[in-house]
């Protein structure tokens, strides 16, 4: 048993559902108590219309019956979907419901690709859920319909619209692709892609390590280039533009929009660097998802000349340079109390516990309704750099 | 299923088998009650799927109320090891630690579905530790798969709080309000009436769910129950401390409201007869107006917090005809309203209806009204059906609630072309 005074890490299913809901035509049907689906779906209200539950009744728990669940699957396969995932819950896993057999049985009745995920480990966290989801889609890539590739198009994988500032980050990246490189971004305005888009783009930008198995499968299957990017700060944003230009034969050196954005970003970073220098032995601590923390760490170290950057992380994600691995959120809090940084980028729970102790910039928001905060100004990309620098300058 | 075939909630057919996002869970009903009471330790025990969201709900509440002292809340996350070797050892360690560290806290252990499924004897562990430390430890199981709505969690948490109260002297001419979960319960009609006669409102629970509020639960002369969720608590307080209660939770049952005021008269010696008479007369006039508008009109009913059969009976007595009832949050406590409603109509009963299915049903049955908030007004109007909602927050009660409902039913704009 693990005890948490603050928030536990989100569960594997939570990460799985979050990753899956970035696909606009991929549905999930969970077999379990309705509460878990309800609370996950209502956390990101409006972004997850295809996450369903059949509920589970006492008689089904006692007798192991799945008739009602099977009928729910049959109800969903009538819908115009690209795929359907049968997902177990902790309860159906404990009673050992066999969703793979159900999927195999009902697959005989439909051409809609059915996939099943069951018997999941209790102690895996959401990062493993991301892995599981992207890996599942990668393994089933051939089963989805794929129209002809469209030249001059880019897809973005791994950025969820419910992330803190997720929609605005996505909008900024889309703007850069369109205004600076003259490319068309395949993601919808809310950041989602359809399964058929996976074979359609000229290239993919991948914003999470966990999505790399899918990127690799896309590359192997369709020969589409995919690159992992984390465009925080001018250098990483420019690297994203360079990589995309290279993959699509686009060019942007003379683009006036780029020049203006680039100069603004550099100026904002220069002001931030000067201010950080004034604070003496500056220590920045970034408590965020592994990829993001590592990218921001590079930005602060290399472009802002911050002498000390700490990246505490308590997820099970193995990637991310220079992360300080800690066992739990409670341990992160303890670290911040013992080694208080000059600036802390963290979530509300930590911020609340440290109120008045240090300068805190919110970087993720598990408590608030994500519907609103995902539309705050971006932190990613060239214009996001200016917003991020200004937010930290205001703190200092 | 027709109303005449109904026997128990589990029999009501699910309109949609695949639902998004599904119902609230009773664990969060428990959380909404216990989180704000200081000197409580609440341990949520279950898989991460459950305890993460329970803890998140608590932390959100804490962030929204920075000046309020809250309970100490812990999330105890089940691991693979616990499934294999059992929970008893680690649970004993955790509870022992909490009892020793916080000697003035009452401890509540809230378990989720998974704990029920693994059949661990948590109650046994709790009883042993409670005896050993001579301290109250209360187990509140919250199996989502056994309950019709999250209301059960609120009810059970409220009743559990009553179990740990010690007898205190009763303060004369004082009363409490039970069941208000939002601001405003202290201004409802029976409260105002009693205050006019010098009675003092001492506690408003669970809205003022503080340690002080809790301590005053059994110090009042009587309670007014203004919502369904507090009936069990009132019964518990009556059986343990002999504190009388008056039920104003049957908000659209005219005879129940009348009986409640008569009971209040008997208990306090105050003469509410002229008030009752005056209200009944005014109500009759309002009902006649509403009846002229509603007679022969058909409706779908989907309101969440009222007793559904009682509300439909209220409308049926005005001449409206229920054709379809979508059940979700609350259910009538007795079968009286259902049986009475059968004299007027035999509507279809459904639960777990997704909006597309409700719309389809509307296209088939063409009701005049859609009562409740399960669909957006625009979606209802697009079907040439008039959207309508009765007051929903469980704050008003007595004749006032019926007047407010009748006001809504007679509003001119409701009858304009949808």
């Amino acid at each position: 048993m693990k005890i948490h005074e603050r928030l536990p890490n989100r569960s594997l299913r939570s990460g799985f559902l979050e990753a899956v809901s970035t696909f606009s035509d991929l549905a999930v049907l969970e077999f379990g108590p309705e509460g878990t689906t309800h609370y996950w779906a209502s956390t990101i209200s409006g972004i997850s219309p295809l996450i369903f539950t059949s509920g589970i009744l006492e008689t089904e728990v006692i007798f192991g019956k799945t008739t009602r669940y099977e009928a729910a699957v049959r109800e969903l396969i009538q819908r115009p979907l690209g795929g359907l995932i049968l997902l177990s819950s902790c309860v159906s896993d404990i009673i050992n419901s066999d969703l793979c057999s159900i999927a195999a049985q009902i697959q005989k009745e439909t051409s809609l690709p059915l996939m099943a995920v069951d018997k999941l480990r209790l102690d895996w966290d959401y990062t493993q859920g991301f892995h599981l989801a992207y890996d599942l889609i990668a393994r089933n890539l051939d089963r989805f319909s794929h129209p002809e590739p469209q030249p001059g198009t880019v897809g973005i994988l791994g950025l969820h619209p419910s992330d803190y500032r997720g929609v605005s980050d996505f909008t900024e990246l889309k703007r850069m692709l369109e205004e600076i490189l003259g490319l068309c971004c395949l993601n919808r305005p809310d950041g989602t892609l359809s399964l058929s888009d996976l074979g359609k783009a000229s290239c993919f930008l991948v914003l999470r390590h966990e999505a790399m198995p899918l990127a690799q499968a896309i590359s192997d299957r369709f020969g589409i280039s995919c690159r992992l990017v984390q465009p925080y700060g001018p250098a990483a944003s420019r690297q994203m533009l360079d990589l995309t230009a290279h993959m699509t034969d686009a060019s942007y050196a003379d683009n006036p929009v780029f020049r203006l954005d680039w100069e603004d970003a550099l100026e904002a970073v220069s002001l931030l660097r000067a201010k950080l220098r004034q604070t003496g032995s500056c220590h920045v601590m970034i408590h965020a998802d592994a990829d993001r923390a590592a990218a921001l760490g590079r930005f602060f170290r290399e472009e802002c000349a911050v002498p000390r950057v700490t990246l505490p992380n308590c997820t099970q994600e193995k990637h991310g340079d220079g992360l300080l691995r800690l066992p739990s959120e409670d341990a992160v809090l303890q670290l911040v109390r013992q080694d208080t940084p000059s600036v802390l980028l963290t979530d509300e729970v930590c911020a609340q516990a440290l109120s008045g102790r240090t300068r805190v910039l919110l970087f993720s928001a598990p408590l608030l309704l994500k519907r609103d905060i995902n539309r705050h100004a971006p932190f990613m990309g060239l214009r996001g750099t200016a917003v991020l620098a200004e937010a930290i300058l205001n703190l200092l | 299923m027709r109303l005449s075939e109904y026997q128990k909630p589990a029999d009501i057919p699910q309109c949609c088998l695949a639902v998004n996002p599904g119902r609230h869970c009773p664990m969060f009903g428990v959380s909404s009650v216990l989180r704000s009471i200081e000197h409580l330790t609440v341990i949520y025990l279950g898989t991460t799927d459950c305890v993460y969201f329970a803890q998140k709900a608590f932390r959100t509440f804490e962030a929204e109320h920075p000046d309020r002292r809250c309970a100490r809340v812990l999330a105890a996350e089940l691991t693979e090891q616990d499934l294999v070797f059992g929970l008893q050892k680690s649970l004993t360690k955790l509870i022992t630690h909490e009892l020793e560290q916080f000697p003035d806290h009452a401890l509540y252990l809230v378990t989720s579905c998974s704990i029920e499924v693994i059949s661990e004897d948590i109650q046994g562990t709790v009883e042993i530790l409670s005896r050993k430390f001579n301290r109250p430890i209360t187990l509140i199981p919250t199996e989502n798969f056994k309950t019709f709505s999250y209301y059960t969690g609120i009810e059970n948490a409220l009743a559990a709080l009553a179990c740990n109260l010690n007898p205190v002297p009763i303060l004369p001419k004082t009363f409490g309000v039970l069941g208000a979960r939002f601001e405003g319960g202290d201004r409802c009609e029976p409260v105002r009436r009693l205050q006019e006669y010098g009675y003092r409102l001492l506690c408003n629970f669970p809205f003022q769910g503080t340690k002080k509020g809790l301590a005053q639960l059994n110090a009042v002369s009587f309670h007014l129950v203004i919502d369904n969720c507090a009936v069990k608590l009132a019964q518990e307080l009556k059986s343990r401390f002999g504190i009388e209660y008056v039920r104003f939770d049957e908000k659209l049952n005219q005879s129940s409201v009348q009986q409640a005021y008569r009971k209040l008269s008997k208990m306090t010696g105050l003469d509410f007869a002229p008030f009752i008479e005056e209200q009944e007369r005014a109500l009759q006039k309002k009902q006649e107006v509403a009846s002229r508008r509603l007679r022969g009109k058909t409706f779908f009913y989907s309101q969440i917090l009222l007793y559904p059969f009682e509300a439909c009976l209220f409308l049926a007595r005005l001449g409206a005809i229920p054709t379809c009832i979508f059940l979700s949050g609350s259910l009538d406590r007795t079968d009286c309203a259902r049986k009475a409603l059968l004299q007027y109509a035999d509507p279809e009963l459904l639960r777990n209806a997704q909006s597309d299915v409700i719309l389809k049903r509307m296209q088939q049955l063409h009701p005049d009204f859609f009562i409740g908030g399960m669909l957006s007004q625009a979606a209802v109007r697009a079907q040439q059906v008039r959207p309508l909602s009765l007051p929903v927050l469980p704050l008003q009660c007595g004749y006032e609630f019926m007047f407010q409902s009748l006001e809504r039913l007679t509003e001119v704009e409701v009858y304009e072309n949808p």
Side-chain angles (χ1 to χ4, degrees):
Chain A
M1 190 192 295
K2 286 187 199 162
I3 316 299
H4 305 270
E5 278 195 44
R6 297 282 141 188
L7 273 184
N9 267 341
R10 286 190 291 130
S11 70
L12 177 136
R13 276 181 191 81
S14 166
F16 183 88
L17 292 173
E18 190 167 332
V20 162
S21 60
T22 59
F23 294 94
S24 58
D25 53 353
L26 182 55
V28 176
L29 179 63
E30 195 169 286
F31 185 39
E34 291 179 40
T36 48
T37 318
H38 175 98
Y39 283 95
W40 184 84
S42 56
T43 305
I44 55 162
S45 178
I47 303 172
S48 56
L50 295 179
I51 307 298
F52 296 93
T53 174
S54 67
I56 192 164
L57 304 175
E58 192 176 4
T59 49
E60 292 166 340
V61 173
I62 296 168
F63 300 112
K65 286 202 299 195
T66 54
T67 340
R68 222 172 39 85
Y69 181 74
E70 290 166 35
V73 176
R74 291 192 172 92
E75 196 175 284
L76 285 180
I77 60 177
Q78 308 303 323
R79 292 183 176 229
L81 297 168
L84 172 63
I85 299 171
L86 282 60
L87 177 67
S88 66
S89 68
C90 46
V91 171
S92 64
D93 273 349
I94 293 171
I95 60 172
N96 220 8
S97 303
D98 186 359
L99 301 193
C100 291
S101 299
I102 296 173
Q105 188 61 36
I106 300 179
Q107 188 64 78
K108 293 172 192 162
E109 305 164 23
T110 179
S111 57
L112 178 77
L114 298 184
M115 298 153 272
V117 178
D118 60 8
K119 300 176 182 65
L120 300 174
R121 284 187 65 89
L122 285 182
D123 39 16
W124 280 357
D125 74 9
Y126 71 101
T127 59
Q128 303 304 310
F130 283 132
H131 278 293
L132 191 70
Y134 288 115
D135 190 52
L136 181 75
I137 299 167
R139 281 187 282 116
N140 287 278
L141 200 56
D142 279 337
R143 300 174 68 196
F144 310 130
S145 68
H146 297 293
E148 286 298 299
Q150 283 182 7
T153 56
V154 184
I156 297 176
L157 277 179
L159 177 65
H160 195 272
S162 78
D163 283 342
Y164 187 53
R165 298 173 189 263
V167 169
S168 27
D169 281 345
F170 161 70
T171 309
E172 166 61 1
L173 300 188
K174 186 173 160 71
R175 182 199 66 82
M176 284 170 64
L177 294 171
E178 290 172 355
E179 286 185 8
I180 298 176
L181 293 171
L183 299 168
C184 169
C185 180
L186 287 177
N187 300 60
R188 281 150 194 71
D190 63 1
T192 59
L193 277 170
S194 83
L195 290 167
S196 59
D197 289 335
L198 295 177
K200 211 157 90 178
S202 304
C203 70
F204 276 98
L205 297 176
V206 186
L207 291 161
R208 269 187 197 281
H209 246 110
E210 295 96 323
M212 281 312 281
L214 176 57
Q216 188 59 51
I218 290 170
S219 178
D220 295 346
R221 168 74 173 77
F222 305 109
I224 297 172
S225 305
C226 304
R227 291 286 181 274
L228 185 70
V229 291
Q230 275 293 335
Y232 286 112
S237 300
R238 184 151 195 175
Q239 188 193 25
M240 180 192 100
L241 288 172
D242 286 339
L243 285 169
T244 316
H246 179 72
M247 291 188 289
T248 56
D249 294 329
S251 67
Y252 68 95
D254 302 325
N255 186 308
V257 177
F258 166 71
R259 286 189 174 282
L260 210 62
D261 288 349
W262 176 248
E263 279 161 21
D264 283 352
L266 288 183
E267 193 187 331
V269 172
S270 146
L271 283 171
L272 177 62
R273 193 168 45 230
K275 188 75 182 172
L276 286 168
R277 235 182 240 139
Q278 285 171 19
T279 59
S281 55
C282 185
H283 174 200
V284 174
M285 193 179 278
I286 304 159
H287 169 220
D289 276 359
D291 282 330
R292 288 178 167 213
L296 274 165
R298 277 193 296 276
F299 165 65
F300 279 106
R301 263 191 305 263
E302 293 165 17
E303 293 178 80
C304 300
V306 172
R308 195 164 161 232
V309 178
T310 315
L311 313 173
N313 189 285
C314 56
T315 68
Q316 291 163 353
E317 175 53 45
K318 300 212 168 44
H319 292 96
D321 308 331
L323 298 183
L324 174 64
R325 302 289 176 184
L326 294 172
S328 68
E329 289 288 324
D330 291 344
V332 173
L333 207 62
Q334 208 177 347
L335 171 77
V336 181
R337 285 192 172 124
Q338 285 166 356
D339 186 12
T340 307
S342 327
V343 176
L344 172 68
L345 276 67
T346 187
D347 60 43
E348 305 143 298
V349 182
C350 210
Q352 190 188 331
L354 296 162
S355 173
R357 283 181 82 105
T358 182
R359 302 177 187 98
V360 178
L361 178 67
L362 275 198
F363 205 72
S364 68
L367 300 187
L368 301 169
L369 256 188
K370 293 189 168 186
R371 182 173 38 195
D372 304 321
I373 44 98
N374 63 3
R375 289 174 197 281
H376 288 183
F379 279 166
M380 275 186 179
L382 289 172
R383 291 188 184 170
T385 300
V387 177
L388 176 64
E390 195 183 330
I392 296 170
L393 273 172
N394 287 342
L395 276 181
L396 296 168
Chain B
M1 173 193 263
R2 293 277 158 192
L3 185 70
S4 52
E5 297 162 303
Y6 173 84
Q7 292 198 333
K8 59 180 189 297
D11 297 339
I12 307 167
Q14 278 186 268
C15 197
C16 301
L17 293 167
V19 290
N20 166 299
R23 295 166 302 158
H24 273 296
C25 158
M27 181 176 257
F28 298 87
V30 175
S31 158
S32 71
V33 172
L34 299 184
R35 65 192 174 190
S36 58
I37 305 172
E38 69 223 82
H39 294 279
L40 289 193
T41 295
V42 184
I43 301 174
Y44 294 112
L45 176 60
T47 53
T48 328
D49 290 307
C50 305
V51 298
Y52 172 84
F53 286 109
Q55 187 75 327
K56 178 174 171 301
F58 166 65
R59 292 288 166 207
T60 305
F61 177 81
E62 198 183 41
E64 285 168 351
H65 301 83
D67 301 327
R68 196 160 173 169
R69 294 185 68 183
C70 296
R72 171 175 163 77
V73 179
L74 299 175
E77 178 191 339
L78 216 58
T79 61
E80 293 285 332
Q81 226 178 1
D82 297 323
L83 288 186
V84 179
F85 300 109
L87 281 167
Q88 206 179 1
K89 206 173 157 188
S90 42
L91 187 61
T92 303
K93 194 176 155 194
L94 171 64
I95 294 177
T96 305
H97 175 265
E98 285 300 313
L99 292 174
E100 285 171 354
Q101 290 293 308
F102 299 92
D104 58 342
H105 279 208
L107 199 146
Y108 288 80
L109 181 64
V110 186
T111 55
S112 72
C113 299
S114 44
I115 304 297
E116 172 72 11
V117 178
I118 60 175
S119 304
E120 188 90 21
D121 182 17
I122 305 287
Q123 184 65 49
T125 310
V126 161
E127 279 169 17
I128 291 168
L129 289 168
S130 188
R131 272 200 301 274
K132 183 178 166 190
F133 288 90
N134 194 22
R135 295 262 301 277
I137 307 172
T138 312
L139 174 67
I140 310 180
T142 60
E143 304 94 343
N144 196 181
F145 59 84
K146 281 186 180 176
T147 52
F148 181 74
S149 99
Y150 76 106
Y151 246 57
T152 314
I154 301 178
E155 270 190 276
N156 292 346
L158 288 172
L161 285 169
C163 294
N164 292 332
L165 293 173
N166 294 317
V168 289
I170 302 244
L171 298 163
K173 285 195 89 170
T174 59
F175 67 101
V177 165
L178 299 181
R181 289 178 294 127
F182 307 95
E183 197 187 356
D186 55 345
R187 295 191 297 276
C188 66
E189 180 189 278
V191 171
R192 294 200 309 270
R193 293 262 79 85
L194 286 165
Q195 283 173 334
E196 280 167 19
Y197 290 104
Y199 275 77
R200 199 152 55 92
L201 174 66
L202 213 59
C203 67
N204 178 5
F205 210 79
F207 175 67
Q208 287 173 333
T210 56
K211 192 187 176 195
K212 190 178 164 204
L214 183 63
Q216 287 171 332
L217 268 183
N218 57 340
V220 296
S221 308
F222 59 89
H223 283 291
L224 306 179
V225 180
I226 68 164
D227 186 67
N228 179 11
C229 68
V231 175
K232 206 169 161 183
L233 168 66
Q235 288 165 344
E236 193 71 35
L237 289 168
K238 163 103 196 245
S239 81
R240 284 174 54 85
F241 305 105
I243 298 172
E244 280 293 345
Y245 62 92
V246 185
R247 281 182 62 179
F248 281 97
D249 59 306
E250 294 174 332
K251 291 164 196 262
L252 289 172
N253 182 343
Q254 197 175 336
S255 68
S256 168
V257 172
Q258 197 187 94
Q259 276 171 26
Y261 274 112
R262 288 196 199 289
K263 186 174 179 184
L264 214 50
S265 281
K266 209 171 155 189
M267 279 162 41
T268 58
L270 301 171
D271 184 11
F272 283 113
F275 171 73
I276 296 171
E277 208 175 304
E278 182 197 335
Q279 296 295 307
E280 295 273 332
R281 257 202 315 270
L283 199 62
Q284 197 182 345
K285 278 186 191 162
K286 277 271 177 201
Q287 282 168 333
E288 281 164 13
V289 177
S291 183
R292 279 199 291 275
R293 289 188 179 273
L294 289 172
R295 188 158 298 283
K297 300 276 195 293
T298 56
F299 68 90
F300 278 15
Y301 181 88
S302 76
Q303 200 102 14
I304 294 172
L305 292 178
L306 299 168
Y307 294 127
F309 301 146
E310 179 191 284
C312 288
L313 178 62
F314 177 78
L315 291 157
R317 283 180 172 153
L318 295 170
I321 307 158
T323 47
C324 207
I325 304 177
F326 299 98
L327 298 157
S328 48
S330 176
L331 277 177
D332 293 56
R333 289 185 166 265
T334 67
D335 210 21
C336 302
R338 187 187 72 87
K339 283 178 179 161
L341 182 59
L342 275 172
Q343 293 168 11
Y344 296 89
D346 193 8
E348 193 180 2
L349 300 184
L350 288 164
R351 67 186 169 116
N352 273 6
Q354 295 283 95
S355 51
D356 50 346
V357 175
I358 301 179
L359 290 171
K360 208 169 163 186
R361 224 17 151 241
M362 268 189 193
Q363 285 158 6
Q364 290 162 349
L365 298 175
H366 305 291
D368 294 296
F369 291 101
F370 181 81
I371 297 175
M374 281 174 85
L375 293 178
S376 74
Q377 293 215 348
V380 176
R381 285 183 196 280
Q383 301 298 316
Q384 301 296 303
V385 176
R386 295 175 179 93
L388 188 59
S389 174
L390 298 170
V392 280
L393 285 181
L395 302 170
Q396 300 98 348
C397 59
Y399 288 104
E400 190 174 49
F401 188 85
M402 281 185 280
F403 279 118
Q404 286 175 354
S405 302
L406 289 166
E407 286 286 333
R408 290 203 182 192
L409 294 171
T410 47
E411 275 170 2
V412 177
E413 55 265 35
V414 169
Y415 299 89
E416 286 172 354
N417 284 336

